[in-house]
Amino acid sequence: MATIKKTTKKAPAKKSVIKTESYLALENVQRSDTKDLRFFLFHASASEIFQWGLIDRTSPEKPKAIQRRLNKTKVLRIKEFLEQPGNTIATSVIVVFNDNQVSFVEEELPDGGCSGFGTLSVSWKPSSPAGIIVDGQHRVIGANSFQQEDIHLNVIGILGADDDEGAFQFLVINNNSSKVNPSQVKALFTSYKEEDLVSRMLASGSTNIDSEKITALRVFDEGPDSPFNGQLKWQKNAVGFIAPNALEAGLGEVQNRSALLAVTDSELDTFLGIWAAIRAEWAALWHAETHLLEKACFQVVTAYICDSLEQFRTFSDESVDYTDPDVLAKGVKRILKRIEPNFFEVQWARTGLDTRTGQELLMMDLKTMASNIKGSRPWHKGLETVNVGAVSGDQIKKGDRAKKVKS
């Protein structure tokens, strides 16, 4: 009997479907010597821009891409900004369109003239975006991740621009921007309530206002995501226990290493992220009676963690992005596994650690402790700062036998 060979019919490959959206737009030919370069002003939902706008980011594989690498902290900040009732984004997303994927039909005036107003049609496939976003990638991604509403963003689309023109527009936009002087705000809007404005900016996670009004310390004390919220030791906090200069010293350590960690322009968020991860792991240490929240520890622990994070990034075979809060927290928790939290509660054998010599001694002890834990030795073996009797006893940290570190 002949054997009947069964065959399985393959399903035809799905063709990439072309999508098209139309928008009411204003056309502007800005210069008479570049008539082919046209600007279109319109608005579109963040979800649509996210689909048809390519975010061409730099990477080791694409060093000539227009956009800088994605800063996930900025994306999160924009999402949080939109979660505050009434907050809006006025600035435009800039897109350089591909000429063959965009068309514009202008409305004619009754007298036969041109209005400059019409319908802009944008066509794209998932594998073929309609243009490149040269400014506003974080706004688009942040607004797209805001689930409560599909926010419409203002868009300026550029048609007739080659790669050189697109790169030029990106550089002009990013190099010519500057922070607004607070005196200009007061001159333009004479009746605004300054304290209400400052409070709204803080609640929105933004510090782009008078640096005398919103300092890093105020962000630490009032920021919605700050692990130090309401805990600074100053006049307005009756129960505050964290010295403001301790936080400033810790922040300085991040700022000194921002280039090595690739967190330039995100130093404040990075510092807050490091200590938020520490608080999450060591919640029991978050009170005034531990060494952890003293100035010397803020500075040295921050420096130690930053140095360790920098080593992780340098020797990793994969890309490590500390502007991603999850990546940063994961790295910090990995480091904390080699630090014994009890170290910050027992009596120390040394005082006066808030000096260069004292900080160097404390830094060496953190490194020695990590080596001890990795080698399965007692964590306190060979530490200079720890009173060994306190490790096994029940002494409080502020004993009377501690030796002062000589600077």
Side-chain angles (χ1 to χ4, degrees), residues 231-407:
Q231 297 170 342
L232 268 67
K233 187 179 181 180
W234 56 7
Q235 188 174 3
K236 62 185 295 186
N237 292 336
V239 294
F241 56 89
I242 299 175
N245 65 346
L247 295 175
E248 290 176 324
L251 176 59
E253 297 297 333
V254 177
Q255 291 170 330
N256 291 340
R257 296 164 174 82
S258 62
L260 293 173
L261 294 171
V263 295
T264 303
D265 297 331
S266 298
E267 294 91 343
L268 183 58
D269 286 313
T270 301
F271 177 72
L272 290 171
I274 288 171
W275 281 91
I278 293 174
R279 182 170 183 175
E281 292 296 294
W282 292 346
L285 296 179
W286 219 260
H287 58 84
E289 298 304 315
T290 67
H291 294 292
L292 178 64
L293 303 181
E294 294 173 352
K295 182 174 181 290
C297 278
F298 259 114
Q299 190 162 357
V300 175
V301 170
T302 303
Y304 177 76
I305 287 177
C306 285
D307 290 344
S308 300
L309 290 172
E310 191 268 323
Q311 289 183 39
F312 293 166
R313 184 172 181 272
T314 299
F315 295 105
S316 175
D317 292 331
E318 300 177 355
S319 176
V320 178
D321 180 10
Y322 292 130
T323 67
D324 184 333
D326 294 333
V327 173
L328 179 63
K330 184 178 179 180
V332 173
K333 291 176 182 180
R334 179 181 171 187
I335 296 164
L336 296 184
K337 289 180 181 179
R338 297 283 168 82
I339 302 177
E340 170 55 52
N342 195 38
F343 169 70
F344 299 100
E345 293 192 285
V346 301
Q347 178 182 319
W348 281 2
R350 303 277 185 164
T351 63
L353 293 172
D354 191 19
T355 61
R356 181 178 294 275
T357 303
Q359 290 169 6
E360 289 174 353
L361 186 150
L362 185 54
M363 177 67 80
M364 183 56 66
D365 272 6
L366 290 176
K367 294 177 180 179
T368 301
M369 190 190 317
S371 178
N372 286 340
I373 293 174
K374 183 176 182 179
S376 299
R377 296 183 292 273
W379 65 265
H380 52 80
K381 184 177 180 179
L383 301 192
E384 294 285 340
T385 52
V386 170
N387 185 323
V388 178
V391 175
S392 56
D394 192 28
Q395 299 172 348
I396 61 172
K397 72 166 188 172
K398 297 179 179 178
D400 56 2
R401 291 190 234 171
K403 297 179 181 180
K404 186 173 180 65
V405 173
K406 295 181 180 179
S407 56

Side-chain angles (χ1 to χ4, degrees), residues 87-102:
N87 283 357
T88 56
I89 300 173
T91 50
S92 298
V93 175
I94 313 297
V95 182
V96 174
F97 282 122
N98 301 326
D99 290 0
N100 60 348
Q101 291 178 256
V102 175

Side-chain angles (χ1 to χ4, degrees), residues 42 44-58 62 64-70 91-98 122 129-144 153-158 163 165-167 169-171 173-174:
F42 64 102
S45 68
S47 63
E48 290 172 1
I49 302 171
F50 186 76
Q51 292 178 57
W52 51 247
L54 171 66
I55 299 171
D56 192 29
R57 298 191 201 98
T58 55
K62 300 176 68 178
K64 294 185 178 181
I66 288 179
Q67 279 283 15
R68 293 166 290 188
R69 66 186 181 85
L70 184 69
T91 50
S92 298
V93 175
I94 313 297
V95 182
V96 174
F97 282 122
N98 301 326
V122 181
I132 295 175
I133 298 175
V134 297
D135 187 63
Q137 62 163 332
H138 294 100
R139 274 168 275 154
V140 171
I141 298 172
N144 185 59
L153 299 174
N154 298 322
V155 182
I156 296 178
I158 304 175
D163 287 349
E165 180 67 26
Q169 293 291 340
F170 173 78
L171 290 174
I173 292 165
N174 286 279

